[in-house]
């Protein structure tokens, strides 16, 4: 398959990542389908995207014509069969749980065209653990966007030992077409690059908090003021979703068995309480209203 053969992209999962990835694809010129099992998620995704794009137009980041053209390319469906059977390239953006992803990829493998590439937006799970649920391991790749995708430029494209060079090259081509800077990793490791570095910082921050060396507010202040980070580690957890980080830690612990990778007690408590950050209005901090960075 050549890059010109990729005409339609489907994104599976209309959550905080998926709907923005779909918009990027539509803006990049691809016929795009956004799929989610919940109609309410699709309605929220469409409303949110219109709001974001309207603001882009007002800020002259996008013309009204370009906005209308992109939305004309973007379709919404709750049917996985419709989304998968028409796509040349499929991007999975569902919950960060290995069993859920494996089940989804097994279904996509059955529904999708033989040439279709299956990409996972997982932030930590290596694609070899997912690809083995399919009969096209050479066409499975990690395509890790960063939150929020419409703002963050970088994409980690990660190969397993069975990912073909053609698949990797086509994935890099897609990134270029949707105006994102892609970095190719030819060797996979759980968490990839950015999240391993970020995870090390986060683990140390939570350790210092749990051991009583400083409050989470003061740790955030130190990281912003002394290290010149744009956002503190606890603020970042709230932004990306505390549950997302929790699932990442659970998966890492399941793979390594290392007690150091086990989720911290304070993180687990917040997940159980449903205090997941900005999206729920409360995490480490309390928020009046959920806001998405435009």
């Amino acid at each position: 398959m050549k890059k010109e053969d990729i005409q339609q992209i489907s994104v599976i999962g209309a959550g905080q990542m998926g709907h923005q990835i779909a918009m990027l694809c539509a803006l990049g010129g691809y016929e795009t389908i956004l799929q989610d099992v919940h109609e309410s998620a699709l309605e929220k995704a469409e409303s949110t995207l219109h709001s974001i794009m309207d603001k882009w137009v007002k800020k002259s980041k996008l013309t009204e014509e370009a906005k209308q053209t992109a939305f004309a390319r973007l379709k919404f469906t709750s049917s996985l069969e419709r989304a998968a059977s028409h796509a040349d390239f499929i991007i999975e953006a569902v919950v960060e749980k290995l069993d859920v992803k494996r089940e989804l990829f097994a279904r996509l493998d059955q529904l999708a065209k033989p040439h279709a590439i299956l990409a996972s937006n997982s932030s930590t799970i290596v694609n070899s653990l997912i690809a083995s649920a399919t009969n096209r391991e050479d066409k499975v790749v990690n395509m890790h966007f960063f939150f929020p995708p419409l703002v963050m430029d970088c994409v980690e494209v990660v190969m397993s030992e069975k990912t073909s060079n053609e698949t990797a090259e086509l994935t890099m081509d897609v990134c270029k077409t949707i105006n994102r800077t892609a970095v190719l990793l030819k060797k996979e490791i759980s968490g990839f690059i950015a999240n391993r570095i970020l995870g090390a910082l986060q683990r140390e921050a939570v350790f210092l908090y749990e051991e009583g060396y400083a409050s989470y507010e003061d740790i955030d202040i130190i990281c912003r003021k002394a290290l010149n980070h744009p956002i503190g580690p606890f603020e970042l957890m709230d932004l990306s979703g505390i549950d997302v980080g929790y699932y990442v830690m659970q998966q890492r612990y399941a793979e390594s068995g290392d007690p150091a990778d086990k989720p911290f007690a304070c993180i687990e408590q917040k997940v159980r309480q449903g205090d997941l950050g900005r999206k729920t209005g409360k995490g480490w901090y309390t928020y009046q209203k959920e806001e998405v960075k435009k």
Side-chain angles (χ1 to χ4, degrees):
M1 185 165 62
K2 298 178 181 179
K3 62 181 179 180
E4 294 80 12
D5 296 325
I6 300 177
Q7 298 293 320
Q8 182 164 303
I9 293 180
S10 288
V11 179
I12 311 302
Q16 65 177 2
M17 296 295 291
H19 72 286
Q20 293 200 18
I21 294 171
M23 193 74 242
L24 281 174
C25 294
L27 288 168
Y30 293 110
E31 294 298 320
T32 306
I33 295 179
L34 177 60
Q35 187 274 343
D36 198 286
V37 293
H38 301 293
E39 289 287 351
S40 59
L42 293 171
E43 291 170 3
K44 181 180 179 181
E46 186 171 10
S47 174
T48 300
L49 289 174
H50 273 286
S51 177
I52 295 173
M53 292 301 103
D54 286 344
K55 290 182 179 180
W56 279 24
V57 171
K58 287 181 181 179
K59 294 179 179 179
S60 299
K61 295 174 63 177
L62 188 72
T63 66
E64 178 66 28
E65 181 181 2
K67 184 194 81 171
Q68 296 294 343
T69 300
F71 275 109
R73 296 190 189 107
L74 180 58
K75 303 295 186 294
F76 302 83
T77 184
S78 59
S79 169
L80 184 65
E81 182 175 5
R82 180 191 171 198
S85 62
H86 290 81
D88 304 302
F89 196 102
I90 301 175
I91 304 172
E92 165 271 313
V94 302
V95 67
E96 195 74 350
K97 293 184 177 181
L98 179 58
D99 58 339
V100 175
K101 293 182 187 294
R102 283 181 58 84
E103 181 180 351
L104 174 61
F105 271 68
R107 292 187 64 195
L108 291 174
D109 184 43
Q110 295 175 345
L111 296 171
K113 300 174 184 178
H115 70 263
I117 289 172
L118 308 182
S120 174
N121 178 54
S122 173
S123 61
T124 191
I125 301 173
V126 294
N127 79 74
S128 59
L129 295 178
I130 304 169
S132 58
T134 76
N135 293 307
R136 61 177 85 194
E137 292 182 80
D138 62 313
K139 293 181 174 64
V140 179
V141 67
N142 285 101
M143 190 182 190
H144 176 217
F145 292 79
F146 292 85
F147 181 77
L150 282 167
V151 176
M152 301 296 285
D153 179 36
C154 189
V155 178
E156 291 177 319
V157 176
V158 189
M159 301 174 65
S160 71
E161 290 184 356
K162 295 187 178 180
T163 304
S164 70
N165 288 327
E166 178 186 279
T167 295
E169 289 169 5
L170 287 169
T171 305
M172 296 290 284
D173 287 334
V174 169
C175 290
K176 184 176 181 180
T177 302
I178 64 175
N179 196 31
R180 285 297 172 268
T181 299
V183 178
L184 179 61
L185 308 183
K186 295 186 177 181
K187 184 177 180 180
E188 63 178 12
I189 184 171
S190 178
F192 318 134
I193 302 300
N195 279 346
R196 288 188 72 87
I197 294 171
L198 183 62
L201 172 66
Q202 187 180 91
R203 283 193 298 274
E204 187 65 19
V206 176
F207 167 78
L208 293 168
Y209 163 72
E210 282 200 336
E211 293 298 314
Y213 291 104
S215 67
Y216 63 85
E217 297 98 332
D218 285 344
I219 293 171
D220 277 348
I221 290 172
I222 290 168
C223 286
R224 291 198 312 270
K225 301 295 185 180
L227 304 181
N228 203 28
H229 290 186
I231 188 172
F234 295 92
E235 292 170 314
L236 183 56
M237 280 187 258
D238 277 0
L239 178 63
S240 59
I242 293 174
D243 55 329
V244 175
Y246 175 70
Y247 294 142
V248 167
M249 286 182 265
Q250 278 192 319
Q251 179 61 34
R252 184 79 59 82
Y253 179 59
E255 291 179 27
S256 71
D258 185 348
D261 291 330
K262 191 173 183 180
F264 285 94
C266 62
I267 301 293
E268 186 170 5
Q269 181 181 14
K270 288 193 177 295
V271 172
R272 287 180 176 176
Q273 292 173 341
D275 296 334
L276 307 181
R278 286 180 177 267
K279 61 185 175 184
T280 60
K282 184 179 180 182
W284 291 102
Y285 299 88
T286 300
Y287 304 89
Q288 296 296 321
K289 171 183 175 181
E290 179 183 353
E291 294 184 0
V292 178
K293 186 178 179 182
K294 309 297 191 296

